[in-house]
């Protein structure tokens, strides 16, 4: 299988602009439970990779390792030309360049929409408040929520809250966006708005690693799809191949469950 070549290294480890991601032989255990059993995958700069797989297969754990929220026991993660698993790496600096959007939004309920989008810019990036607000407003505009800037999260629908979470992440000028099932907690009628924003981000050349079970999105937007099960990559390839004609029986069984959720399945074993 051919992998896209990673982007050219930038001198000095500067992560400005879309960055590639390479995960090599990643192992992560919690006590005696081995959750990631040697995961390797790459996302070329500006590409979109969708990660699919059953519950408990380690998708969120993998994203948390890439975002440096978890420390793997073994293996390497490289973002751009910086090895983030290097014990000497400046974790705080690297984390600033990785935007993460979670299933449950994780907005601060006591802060306005605008403040949710400025607080980390001011605290972490040391931007002036006025500059942070200008950037936040531009990103709220981009997700179609400029008029909600002074509202609070509990006054917004789930889909609107998720769009704020995306605006908040974008306000940090990420080189890479990680999405962990961003639409799975949303009412069906708001899913499309969030997916539309993700599509436009992809079209603008953002590097994206997306855990999702939205197969139409994956088929249309992802450059590649990675199917994980039991802490290993079972199958990966172009989206149309993995979704349209999967090679592995486990991938086929999973896809048939996702694509026909109401159908009664025979037990697998
Ligand atoms: N902090 C933790 N401590 C102990 N076990 C954990 C921890 N985080 C995850 N696990 C375990 O690791 C396994 C993989 O979890 P993970 O959340 O990565 O799966 P997932 O593929 O994202 O599943 P889902 O589709 O349900 O979100 C599960 O068995 C989970 O219970
Ligand atoms: Mg998960």
């Amino acid at each position: 299988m051919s992998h896209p070549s990673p982007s050219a290294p930038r001198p000095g480890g500067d992560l400005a602009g879309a960055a590639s991601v390479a995960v090599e032989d990643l192992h992560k255990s919690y006590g005696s439970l081995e959750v990631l059993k040697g995961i390797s995958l790459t996302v070329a700069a500006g590409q979109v990779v969708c990660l699919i797989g059953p519950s408990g297969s380690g998708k969120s754990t993998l994203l948390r390792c890439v975002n440096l929220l978890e420390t793997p026991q073994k293996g390497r993660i490289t973002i751009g030309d910086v090895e983030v698993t290097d014990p000497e790496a400046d974790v705080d600096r690297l984390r600033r360049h990785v935007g993460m959007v979670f299933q449950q939004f994780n907005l601060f309920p006591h802060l306005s929409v605008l403040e949710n989008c400025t607080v980390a810019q001011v605290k972490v990036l040391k931007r002036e408040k006025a500059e942070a607000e200008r950037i936040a407003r531009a990103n709220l505009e981009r997700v179609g929520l400029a008029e909600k800037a002074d509202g609070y999260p509990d006054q917004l629908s789930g889909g609107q809250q998720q769009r704020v979470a995306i605006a908040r992440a974008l306000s940090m000028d990420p080189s890479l966006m990680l999405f962990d099932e961003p639409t799975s907690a949303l009412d069906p009628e708001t899913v499309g708005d969030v997916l539309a924003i993700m599509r436009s981000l992809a079209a603008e050349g953002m590097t994206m690693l997306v855990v999702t079970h939205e197969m139409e999105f994956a088929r249309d937007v992802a450059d590649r799809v990675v199917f994980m099960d039991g802490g290993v990559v079972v199958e990966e390839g172009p989206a149309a191949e993995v979704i349209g004609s999967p090679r592995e029986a486990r991938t086929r069984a999973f896809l048939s469950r996702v694509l026909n959720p109401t159908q009664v399945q025979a037990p697998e074993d």
Side-chain angles (χ1 to χ4, degrees):
M1 189 181 346
S2 73
H3 286 276
S5 60
S7 65
R10 291 180 202 83
D14 178 12
L15 285 177
S20 60
V21 186
V23 174
E24 296 165 71
D25 194 29
L26 201 71
H27 290 257
K28 174 69 188 174
S29 300
Y30 295 106
S32 60
L33 178 69
E34 195 180 16
V35 175
L36 302 180
K37 302 173 182 169
I39 295 281
S40 298
L41 64 87
T42 57
V43 189
Q47 288 210 329
V48 179
V49 169
C50 282
L51 194 56
I52 61 174
S55 182
S57 56
K59 306 178 299 294
S60 295
T61 303
L62 174 61
L63 254 53
R64 287 203 301 272
C65 286
V66 173
N67 201 21
L68 308 164
L69 296 170
E70 298 279 3
T71 311
Q73 277 84 9
K74 185 174 169 234
R76 247 155 47 120
I77 301 171
T78 311
I79 302 178
D81 62 348
V82 183
E83 187 195 333
V84 302
T85 37
D86 181 340
E88 306 282 298
D90 181 349
V91 168
D92 288 335
R93 193 181 71 82
L94 290 163
R95 204 181 273 142
R96 296 204 294 256
H97 293 278
V98 182
M100 180 126 180
V101 174
F102 303 88
Q103 183 174 352
Q104 296 297 344
F105 331 135
N106 297 358
L107 298 177
F108 296 114
H110 59 291
L111 297 183
S112 72
V113 164
L114 187 68
E115 288 163 341
N116 263 282
C117 296
T118 56
V119 62
Q121 292 190 67
V122 172
K123 280 202 177 145
V124 180
L125 301 184
K126 312 289 180 209
R127 284 185 181 145
E128 295 292 334
K129 188 162 173 258
E131 168 77 346
E133 288 187 358
R134 189 188 60 75
I135 292 168
R137 285 185 195 281
N139 284 307
L140 287 168
E141 174 90 50
R142 183 172 179 182
V143 302
L145 289 174
E147 80 285 5
K148 299 287 187 187
D150 298 321
Y152 281 80
D154 67 359
Q155 299 166 333
L156 304 181
S157 73
Q160 290 171 334
Q161 289 186 57
Q162 192 60 296
R163 284 148 65 196
V164 173
I166 294 172
R168 174 179 64 178
L170 293 176
S171 295
M172 301 295 283
D173 298 334
S175 307
L176 160 68
M177 287 282 287
L178 307 175
F179 292 87
D180 194 353
E181 302 204 43
T183 60
S184 53
L186 301 181
D187 291 334
E189 68 269 26
T190 66
V191 167
D193 296 336
V194 172
L195 292 179
I197 289 160
M198 293 169 65
R199 280 174 194 265
S200 73
L201 275 180
E204 288 165 30
M206 177 67 76
T207 308
M208 294 165 55
L209 181 55
V210 183
V211 176
T212 187
H213 294 149
E214 294 287 339
M215 290 303 150
E216 202 182 304
F217 173 85
R219 197 165 17 210
D220 291 355
V221 179
D223 295 287
R224 287 183 310 123
V225 169
V226 174
F227 172 65
M228 267 176 77
D229 192 8
V232 299
V233 171
V234 172
E235 177 163 2
E236 67 169 305
E241 282 177 24
V242 175
I243 296 172
S245 48
R247 293 187 305 271
E248 301 291 332
R250 272 196 282 176
T251 319
R252 283 198 293 275
F254 171 77
L255 285 168
S256 108
R257 284 198 301 276
V258 171
L259 296 170
N260 311 295
T262 53
Q263 201 171 300
V264 177
Q265 300 287 328
E268 269 179 59
D269 44 19

